């Protein structure tokens, strides 16, 4: 009897609402605990099953056309590869001459996008590779066009990549010509913003913006986007630079996770 | 649990999966309908504030778990949306009840969602309003009307 009296608030809509709001706020504070991660991954398994049916169907349908296209692409890549090999050999000889070591020899994990975020504003993709494939949190993700984002969650067989057009994503970047450093982020516009570029720096539309390599997450030199426009005001120390993303995030299908040694926890101290 | 609740539960689960896997093919520019919101508003209109907020909380938590974003954010916005949709629906005439409630609920949902998700960040609210919230709202309303027309009666039926 006493117990049911405690549950009487369930009949009062406003008290019930306050209860749920309280629970939501509590969840926000415990958003990243191990037990909640377990529940999260259990739900993701359902999506994986649905996707396996969907992709199997789509793959079979497109197989012939894909095969023809790949043959042509293979021929083109074969020629390009030959030229690249010559260039790598030439580069190696020149590096030896300059006594430089090759700095980037990353291992890649090929992955396929199997689902997208169900919520607006959060821009993430679910990949079909996980811990058992060597994926860890904070590994950078790229495709042939450039930087896609970073891994923010990993289960045994899947992982979640936060893409650059997520409101919470920030990437240390550098203008390719001036080498000036800034931060790339997304503010809800169709373009990316490059922040903290001083007004005295010369910026040109068409200039490439790459990762600065100063963070432990993103290796140096990954293409982020191209400057399309910039503006400055009298009262601001920095100019406002707009970038066209290098990657078409709406058409993400195949990506690569860069296998790097990531520290367990990154602190700013 | 009557059959209507069971049907809603199944439709919520299906919407959750479809929203994450298939809805991307319905994308126009970068606008997508919010199936979970549509079903939530239908449920809240039929069952009122208490069950509306309860369904909003459960659907929001499930959506948060799959999205990989901040857990609790979708739960908060959908709880309040379910509560308000369950309350205000009686203010509208029965013929236009669902669509007006969907518009109002969608607006409140997106405002709460974007406001909390952008706290402490410099974002262009003008862009968020006119490029994200309003077009998404209209798209969701159109898809909502189609779903309501074809499945509304089936979902409501108690027997």
């Amino acid at each position: 009897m006493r117990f049911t009296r405690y549950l009487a608030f369930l009949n009062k809509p406003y008290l019930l609402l306050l209860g749920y709001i309280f629970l939501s706020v509590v969840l926000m504070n415990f958003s990243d605990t191990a037990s909640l991660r377990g529940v999260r991954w259990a739900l993701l398994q359902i999506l994986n099953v649905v996707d396996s049916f969907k992709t199997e169907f789509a793959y079979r349908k497109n197989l012939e056309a894909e095969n023809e296209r790949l043959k042509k692409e293979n021929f083109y890549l074969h020629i390009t590869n030959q030229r690249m090999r010559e260039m790598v050999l030439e580069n190696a000889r020149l590096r030896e001459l300059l006594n430089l070591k090759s700095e980037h020899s990353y291992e890649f994990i090929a992955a396929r996008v199997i689902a997208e975020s169900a919520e607006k504003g959060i821009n993430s993709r679910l990949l079909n590779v996980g811990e058992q494939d060597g994926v860890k949190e904070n590994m950078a993700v790229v495709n042939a066009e450039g930087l896609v984002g970073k891994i923010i969650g990993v289960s045994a067989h899947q992982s979640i990549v936060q893409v650059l057009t997520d409101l919470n994503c920030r990437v240390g970047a550098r203008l390719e010509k001036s080498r000036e450093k800034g931060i790339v982020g997304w503010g809800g516009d169709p373009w990316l913003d490059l922040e903290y570029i001083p007004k005295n720096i010369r910026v040109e539309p068409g200039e490439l913006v790459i990762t600065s390599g100063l963070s432990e997450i993103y290796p140096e030199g990954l293409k982020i986007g191209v400057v399309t426009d910039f503006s400055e005001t009298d009262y601001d120390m920095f100019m406002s630079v707009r970038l066209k993303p290098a990657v078409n995030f709406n058409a993400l299908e195949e990506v690569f996770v860069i296998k790097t040694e990531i520290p367990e926890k990154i602190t700013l101290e | 649990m009557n059959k209507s609740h069971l049907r809603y539960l199944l439709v919520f689960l299906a919407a959750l999966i479809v929203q994450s896997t298939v809805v991307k093919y319905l994308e126009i520019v970068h606008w997508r309908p919010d199936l979970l919101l549509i079903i939530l508003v239908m449920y809240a209109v039929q069952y009122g504030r208490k069950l509306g907020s309860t369904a909003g909380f459960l659907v929001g938590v499930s959506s948060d778990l799959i999205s990989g974003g901040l857990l609790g954010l979708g739960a908060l916005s959908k709880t309040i949306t379910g509560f308000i949709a369950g309350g205000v629906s009686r203010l509208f005439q029965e013929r236009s009840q669902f669509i007006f409630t969907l518009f109002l609920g969608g607006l409140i949902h997106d405002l709460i969602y974007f406001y909390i998700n952008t706290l402490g960040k410099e974002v262009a609210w003008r862009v968020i309003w006119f490029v994200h919230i309003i077009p998404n709202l209209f798209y969701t309303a159109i898809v909502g009307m189609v779903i309501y027309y074809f499945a509304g009666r089936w979902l409501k039926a108690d027997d």
Side-chain angles (χ1 to χ4, degrees):
Chain A
M1 195 65 184
R2 188 177 287 175
F3 181 68
T4 51
R5 202 169 45 179
Y6 286 126
L7 292 175
F9 78 95
L10 290 173
N11 281 321
K12 295 187 173 135
Y14 286 100
L15 285 179
L16 193 64
L17 174 71
L18 283 176
Y20 286 136
I21 291 174
F22 176 73
L23 271 177
S24 302
V25 174
V26 169
L27 282 175
M28 284 186 213
N29 284 310
F30 294 98
S31 186
D32 203 29
T33 58
S35 53
L36 282 174
R37 269 186 225 159
V39 179
R40 184 167 263 176
W41 298 126
L43 274 170
L44 290 176
Q45 298 306 321
I46 301 169
L47 285 184
N48 202 23
V49 171
V50 174
D51 181 74
S52 60
F53 283 115
K54 192 189 74 189
T55 45
E56 185 68 24
F57 177 73
Y59 262 93
R60 282 178 189 277
K61 198 178 162 191
N62 296 326
L63 214 57
E64 260 185 53
E66 183 82 357
N67 194 25
E68 195 60 33
R69 189 183 64 78
L70 286 174
K71 274 182 190 169
K72 285 180 189 166
E73 196 174 301
N74 189 35
F75 177 70
Y76 171 76
L77 287 174
H78 182 74
I79 294 171
T80 312
N81 192 27
Q82 193 66 38
R83 285 173 59 195
M84 296 278 275
R85 270 191 206 174
E86 286 166 21
M87 287 165 78
V88 169
L89 288 171
E90 185 186 39
N91 192 13
R93 285 197 302 274
L94 292 171
R95 274 181 184 273
E96 209 172 357
L97 282 173
L98 291 166
N99 201 19
L100 287 172
K101 286 180 181 175
S102 175
E103 288 164 3
H104 305 304
S105 52
Y106 300 113
E107 204 179 315
F108 294 102
I109 304 162
R112 198 156 45 77
V113 175
I114 56 174
E116 295 188 16
S117 159
E119 291 288 359
K120 294 183 273 279
I122 292 173
N123 221 337
S124 60
R125 304 286 187 279
L126 184 66
L127 305 183
N128 68 337
V129 289
E131 219 158 28
Q132 291 200 350
D133 305 285
V135 178
K136 290 178 185 168
E137 274 189 30
N138 285 324
M139 282 182 171
V141 179
V142 294
N143 71 358
E145 294 162 334
L147 180 65
V148 172
K150 67 170 181 181
I151 299 291
I152 57 167
V154 193
S155 72
H157 299 290
Q158 286 102 29
S159 51
I160 292 178
V161 53
Q162 177 188 54
V163 301
L164 295 184
T165 50
D166 183 287
L167 287 164
N168 297 306
C169 190
R170 293 282 184 276
V171 181
R174 192 191 282 281
L175 283 158
E176 197 187 36
K177 285 183 191 165
S178 66
R179 313 302 291 167
E180 187 64 32
K181 296 183 291 295
I183 304 283
V184 168
W186 183 68
D189 306 289
W191 57 83
L192 296 171
D193 300 308
L194 175 61
E195 296 160 1
Y196 308 114
I197 298 295
K199 285 201 286 193
N200 61 338
I201 298 299
R202 189 183 161 88
V203 181
E204 291 169 10
E207 186 170 358
L208 203 62
V209 174
I210 54 175
T211 49
S212 64
L214 295 180
S215 83
E216 302 204 46
I217 297 172
Y218 303 104
E220 191 183 354
L222 300 174
K223 194 173 166 186
I224 297 174
V226 176
V227 175
T228 55
D229 190 14
F230 60 93
S231 58
E232 43 186 70
T233 51
D234 292 337
Y235 52 84
D236 204 342
M237 285 169 64
F238 304 107
M239 66 173 86
S240 169
V241 182
R242 289 177 180 182
L243 309 181
K244 181 181 182 241
V247 173
N248 179 3
F249 294 102
N250 288 329
L252 271 185
E253 285 181 9
E254 278 93 21
V255 294
F256 294 96
V257 181
I258 301 180
K259 208 170 172 180
T260 42
E261 280 306 315
I262 302 289
E264 281 294 307
K265 189 91 176 175
I266 297 169
T267 57
L268 295 174
E269 289 173 63
Chain B
M1 183 188 277
N2 66 25
K3 283 187 180 172
S4 174
H5 287 291
L6 193 65
R7 279 193 286 261
Y8 269 112
L9 179 67
L10 292 174
V11 171
F12 270 128
L13 288 174
L16 195 63
I17 293 168
V18 170
Q19 187 74 40
S20 305
T21 53
V22 183
V23 164
K24 62 183 172 188
Y25 300 113
L26 296 177
E27 187 171 274
I28 300 173
V29 189
H30 49 263
W31 306 314
R32 291 176 188 190
D34 191 336
L35 301 183
L36 291 170
L37 188 73
I38 294 167
I39 310 297
L40 174 64
V41 169
M42 282 171 81
Y43 187 78
V45 167
Q46 187 174 349
Y47 290 105
R49 290 180 300 188
K50 275 193 291 180
L51 289 178
S53 53
T54 304
F57 178 76
L58 295 174
V59 169
V61 169
S62 314
S63 167
D64 286 338
L65 285 168
I66 285 183
S67 299
L70 180 64
L71 190 66
L73 178 56
L76 179 68
S77 52
K78 284 195 168 59
T79 297
I80 295 172
T81 306
F83 183 84
I84 291 173
V88 300
S89 61
R90 286 168 221 158
L91 301 175
F92 304 119
Q93 285 184 337
E94 200 179 336
R95 280 178 71 184
S96 51
Q97 193 179 38
F98 169 68
I99 193 67
F100 280 126
T101 312
L102 180 59
F103 256 105
L104 190 65
L107 192 66
I108 289 161
H109 174 268
D110 283 6
L111 281 178
I112 296 168
Y113 193 86
F114 277 106
Y115 178 72
I116 295 179
N117 206 22
T118 57
L119 271 179
K121 298 181 193 106
E122 277 186 32
V123 289
W125 268 98
R126 179 180 45 79
V127 176
I128 286 182
W129 265 106
F130 293 105
V131 178
H132 297 280
I133 294 180
I134 293 174
N136 268 319
L137 205 56
F138 273 95
Y139 196 8
T140 300
I142 291 167
V143 175
M145 280 193 285
V146 174
I147 293 175
Y148 188 75
Y149 180 78
F150 285 105
R153 203 170 288 178
W154 174 72
L155 280 167
K156 279 183 189 174
D158 279 339
D159 54 327

